Amino acid sequence: MLRTADQIIRRFDSLAAERGTFESVWQEIADHIKGRRDFTTHPVTAGRKRNVTIYDNTAMLSGDMLASALHNFLTNTATKWFSVGPEDDRLTEVDGVSQWFEFVERQMNAVFNRPESRFVPQMHENYLDLVFFCTSVMFVEDVPGLPVRFSARPLSEIFVAEDPAGRIDTVYRKFPLTHRQALDKFGGGNLPKVAKRAEKNPDDKADYLHLVHRRDDPIAGRIDTKGMPWRSVYLSLEEKKLVSEGGFWEMPYLVTRWEKEAGELYGRGPGWNALPEAKMLNEMSKTVLKAAQKVTDPPLIVADDGVMNPLNTSPGGINIVRTSTFSNDPIRALPIEPNIPVGVEMIERRKTQVRGAFMHDLLQILQDPRMTATQVIEISERAQALIAPILGRMQVELLEPMIERVFGILQRAQMLPPAPDFLQGSPMRVQYVSPVARAQRGSEVRSIVDTLGVIGQVAQLDPSVMDNINVDEAARLVVHNTGAPARISRPRAEVEAIRAARAKMMEEQQQHERLMEGAEAVGKAGPTAVEAIGMLGGGAQQ
């Protein structure tokens, strides 16, 4: 376990050295595609120009569109994008369970929608980093009174390590604080050197480390930091000492990778794939712009001593020349014959490649309002094939940990009602009902509907074929996979009670009909039959 400041700093230096090769690529992406973020450029000057090497913004716009689409398809707070329930589906049949989970969903959605939580803008920043740099970091902070605040941390601050299963279990964050901010956060007693400097220069900055890693020896049953599975340490790099120690019940830093090479810690994806084409596109655009500029404002040929004054090339400018020079043509344009159409054609090809890296064509089709229902199904299946691996990793590394973290914070803040006793210790299942998630499950729904349609037609010839189909389970699967509210689905016990009551009612109705038919038959037989019955009855009595 990392116990001393020296041990923590040595581990940080090792992880920082391992991240060095990624930083150079991230800086290229920032310089040639995004025009934001700094990794190897120091010192950073606030407000400086960041797009001086970008001559074509195709990659920037395409990446922004993909990030916006991910936010809309996966975590759009205007629609329901997740649901929670027990891992064991049989528990939903117990009275009150579905209602409790629905209340939990409403409370969690209220937190995501609160402006103070900053979920929407910070998630968009998170998706931007994920699309361009292919690694993103979201910090989910427990703040009294909010109770949750989301913060997309700059990738330049973050250094990570994995456990043997490939899960992030160690996160370092290196960040600056002014002396005044540090004293407010940690107190002057922990930072004697900073306290002295703050008297003269309170706005000077120093670097600090925040380390969160899995605790080796959490004490079971303890509710203080010693019992928390995640250890939190703040350290001053300037003074090389620990200034604060605590813990978390869940990992607060959610590190997401678009995709990952075996043996690497950080992600690869669209930004990496588009980088070569984007760099070439910038150079080609720069060259074509120069060529067009030369055509519209060509360089001039001027005879030696042919001009009386310095050459004036401004619109409407007048130049006085010697008539003997170059006969009657002392100033001439240098012949320029650039093939601009070829350059434009090559640029368009590069743009197509860049857009393809950011799935631009697929996003455009998905947003086309003119599509038929059949086209929507086909495109959804295509989107499913492209997005499924990415969505799977995002669920494991971002969405599920984030929902579990928010659930834990709300539960500890007593903002959720107590769970039913039989749910204590039962694991919770998170299900995604976003458009992409529904599209992924749509194939199963369509197969159920298609199967029932075919079997229904066969049943017109032989009704016994329906014995092969469990229609109740088919209906429950459709409700489950379409993301419909759980309250529209009745518990099995309630369904059985309704069917039993219906069967009893039908039996009573049939019995009543039989009695009516008997009475009607007796009435049609007439008085003679009644007398005969009476005589038979009298003989029987004798």
Side-chain angles (χ1 to χ4, degrees), residues 353-529:
Q353 296 294 328
V354 169
R355 293 190 185 106
F358 291 105
M359 304 180 183
H360 180 269
D361 294 341
L362 178 60
L363 297 179
Q364 289 291 98
I365 295 174
L366 286 173
Q367 296 174 358
D368 187 354
R370 299 169 297 177
M371 288 192 298
T372 64
T374 303
Q375 289 175 319
V376 170
I377 293 174
E378 294 176 354
I379 296 300
S380 298
E381 291 177 349
R382 182 181 171 191
Q384 174 184 344
L386 292 174
I387 300 294
I390 302 160
L391 179 60
R393 178 174 287 278
M394 290 179 63
Q395 288 177 351
V396 172
E397 295 186 343
L398 173 63
L399 301 179
E400 287 182 7
M402 179 171 62
I403 292 174
E404 291 174 359
R405 170 78 172 146
V406 172
F407 176 84
I409 292 173
L410 295 183
Q411 192 174 46
R412 290 187 292 274
Q414 298 183 351
M415 296 181 64
L416 300 177
D421 293 338
F422 52 84
L423 285 179
Q424 300 295 336
S426 177
M428 181 179 68
R429 181 196 65 219
V430 180
Q431 180 181 344
Y432 301 98
V433 291
S434 63
V436 171
R438 287 197 298 268
Q440 287 187 300
R441 296 190 297 269
S443 58
E444 184 175 358
V445 173
R446 290 193 297 275
S447 66
I448 293 173
V449 173
D450 293 343
T451 300
L452 291 178
V454 173
I455 297 298
Q457 294 178 3
V458 176
Q460 296 178 5
L461 302 176
D462 182 5
S464 64
V465 74
M466 292 299 299
D467 298 339
N468 295 284
I469 302 298
N470 189 334
V471 181
D472 285 350
E473 287 302 318
R476 292 183 182 278
L477 281 174
V478 170
V479 172
H480 176 76
N481 288 340
T482 54
R487 58 180 175 270
I488 74 169
S489 180
R490 289 193 174 101
R492 297 177 192 272
E494 184 178 346
V495 172
E496 292 175 359
I498 292 174
R499 289 176 175 172
R502 183 186 300 126
K504 182 178 180 181
M505 184 181 298
M506 291 180 63
E507 183 179 356
E508 291 176 352
Q509 183 177 357
Q510 291 174 357
Q511 184 177 2
H512 178 71
E513 290 177 354
R514 288 195 296 269
L515 291 174
M516 293 298 294
E517 290 175 357
E520 184 179 358
V522 170
K524 290 180 179 180
T528 305

Side-chain angles (χ1 to χ4, degrees), residues 238-401:
E238 184 177 15
E239 301 196 15
K240 294 186 177 179
K241 62 176 294 188
L242 303 181
V243 295
S244 176
E245 184 170 352
F248 294 99
W249 291 104
E250 304 90 10
M251 167 58 92
Y253 288 104
L254 311 180
V255 182
T256 313
R257 285 78 59 91
W258 185 277
E259 59 188 21
K260 189 173 75 72
E261 291 285 340
E264 294 184 348
L265 291 172
Y266 301 92
R268 298 171 180 260
W272 287 63
N273 298 336
L275 181 59
E277 295 289 346
K279 291 173 67 175
M280 185 183 300
L281 182 57
N282 283 325
E283 287 299 318
M284 293 173 63
S285 298
K286 181 179 178 181
T287 301
V288 170
L289 286 173
K290 286 182 177 180
Q293 188 177 22
K294 289 177 181 178
V295 171
T296 56
D297 187 12
L300 303 176
I301 299 176
V302 182
D304 186 26
D305 294 333
V307 181
M308 301 292 292
N309 299 314
L311 192 64
N312 183 358
T313 59
S314 62
I318 299 176
N319 294 287
I320 301 174
V321 301
R322 292 184 175 90
T323 56
S324 60
T325 307
F326 277 90
S327 300
N328 294 323
D329 195 10
I331 302 176
R332 290 181 292 178
L334 181 67
I336 301 293
E337 297 182 0
N339 195 341
I340 294 179
V342 173
V344 172
E345 181 181 353
M346 295 178 65
I347 286 176
E348 288 300 322
R349 293 178 183 176
R350 302 279 76 77
K351 286 185 176 183
T352 301
Q353 296 294 328
V354 169
R355 293 190 185 106
F358 291 105
M359 304 180 183
H360 180 269
D361 294 341
L362 178 60
L363 297 179
Q364 289 291 98
I365 295 174
L366 286 173
Q367 296 174 358
D368 187 354
R370 299 169 297 177
M371 288 192 298
T372 64
T374 303
Q375 289 175 319
V376 170
I377 293 174
E378 294 176 354
I379 296 300
S380 298
E381 291 177 349
R382 182 181 171 191
Q384 174 184 344
L386 292 174
I387 300 294
I390 302 160
L391 179 60
R393 178 174 287 278
M394 290 179 63
Q395 288 177 351
V396 172
E397 295 186 343
L398 173 63
L399 301 179
E400 287 182 7

Side-chain angles (χ1 to χ4, degrees), residues 20-336:
T21 53
F22 284 87
E23 291 178 353
S24 60
V25 180
W26 293 339
Q27 190 62 55
E28 285 193 70
I29 294 173
D31 292 339
H32 299 282
I33 296 181
K34 184 56 183 167
R36 291 173 55 185
R37 303 285 191 263
D38 291 286
F39 299 95
T40 60
T41 303
H42 299 287
V44 178
T45 303
R48 70 179 180 86
K49 293 182 179 180
R50 296 175 180 266
N51 56 355
V52 294
T53 59
I54 298 178
Y55 290 87
D56 187 283
N57 62 357
T58 300
M60 183 190 302
L61 297 179
S62 298
D64 288 345
M65 180 179 293
L66 179 56
S68 298
L70 288 175
H71 187 45
N72 183 50
F73 292 155
L74 300 179
T75 53
N76 185 358
T77 56
T79 61
K80 182 178 178 180
W81 59 274
F82 75 94
S83 64
V84 292
E87 188 71 31
D88 188 352
D89 288 335
R90 293 173 298 181
L91 292 177
T92 58
E93 305 300 325
V94 181
D95 290 341
V97 172
S98 297
Q99 291 80 357
W100 184 81
F101 277 108
E102 286 194 6
F103 183 85
V104 169
E105 290 174 18
R106 290 197 298 270
Q107 289 293 96
M108 294 177 68
N109 274 309
V111 169
F112 289 126
N113 284 311
R114 289 183 67 172
E116 299 88 348
S117 70
R118 307 189 303 179
F119 176 75
V120 173
Q122 294 303 307
M123 277 303 295
H124 182 64
E125 290 293 325
N126 186 81
Y127 286 128
L128 286 174
D129 276 1
L130 185 61
V131 166
F132 286 105
F133 306 107
C134 309
T135 303
S136 64
V137 183
M138 177 67 78
F139 183 59
V140 185
E141 186 178 8
D142 183 355
V143 181
L146 284 182
V148 182
R149 182 165 58 201
F150 298 90
S151 177
R153 303 314 311 162
L155 184 56
S156 58
E157 296 180 351
I158 303 299
F159 306 80
V160 302
E162 294 178 333
D163 64 11
R167 298 169 298 189
I168 300 294
D169 69 342
T170 301
V171 174
Y172 278 91
R173 177 187 168 216
K174 180 182 178 182
F175 62 100
L177 287 177
T178 65
H179 295 334
R180 180 178 58 83
Q181 291 171 336
L183 293 178
D184 289 343
K185 186 174 182 65
F186 305 117
N190 293 320
L191 298 167
K193 295 180 182 179
V194 171
K196 291 180 180 180
R197 294 173 183 173
E199 295 177 0
K200 295 182 179 180
N201 302 299
D203 294 322
D204 285 355
K205 294 182 178 181
D207 287 333
Y208 294 83
L209 287 181
H210 184 204
L211 166 64
V212 179
H213 68 103
R214 190 178 295 278
R215 193 182 295 274
D216 296 332
D217 52 352
I219 302 175
R222 291 280 293 267
I223 61 174
D224 58 3
T225 58
K226 297 296 183 181
M228 296 180 180
W230 298 93
R231 178 178 178 236
S232 169
V233 177
Y234 283 93
L235 179 144
S236 168
L237 284 175
E238 184 177 15
E239 301 196 15
K240 294 186 177 179
K241 62 176 294 188
L242 303 181
V243 295
S244 176
E245 184 170 352
F248 294 99
W249 291 104
E250 304 90 10
M251 167 58 92
Y253 288 104
L254 311 180
V255 182
T256 313
R257 285 78 59 91
W258 185 277
E259 59 188 21
K260 189 173 75 72
E261 291 285 340
E264 294 184 348
L265 291 172
Y266 301 92
R268 298 171 180 260
W272 287 63
N273 298 336
L275 181 59
E277 295 289 346
K279 291 173 67 175
M280 185 183 300
L281 182 57
N282 283 325
E283 287 299 318
M284 293 173 63
S285 298
K286 181 179 178 181
T287 301
V288 170
L289 286 173
K290 286 182 177 180
Q293 188 177 22
K294 289 177 181 178
V295 171
T296 56
D297 187 12
L300 303 176
I301 299 176
V302 182
D304 186 26
D305 294 333
V307 181
M308 301 292 292
N309 299 314
L311 192 64
N312 183 358
T313 59
S314 62
I318 299 176
N319 294 287
I320 301 174
V321 301
R322 292 184 175 90
T323 56
S324 60
T325 307
F326 277 90
S327 300
N328 294 323
D329 195 10
I331 302 176
R332 290 181 292 178
L334 181 67
I336 301 293

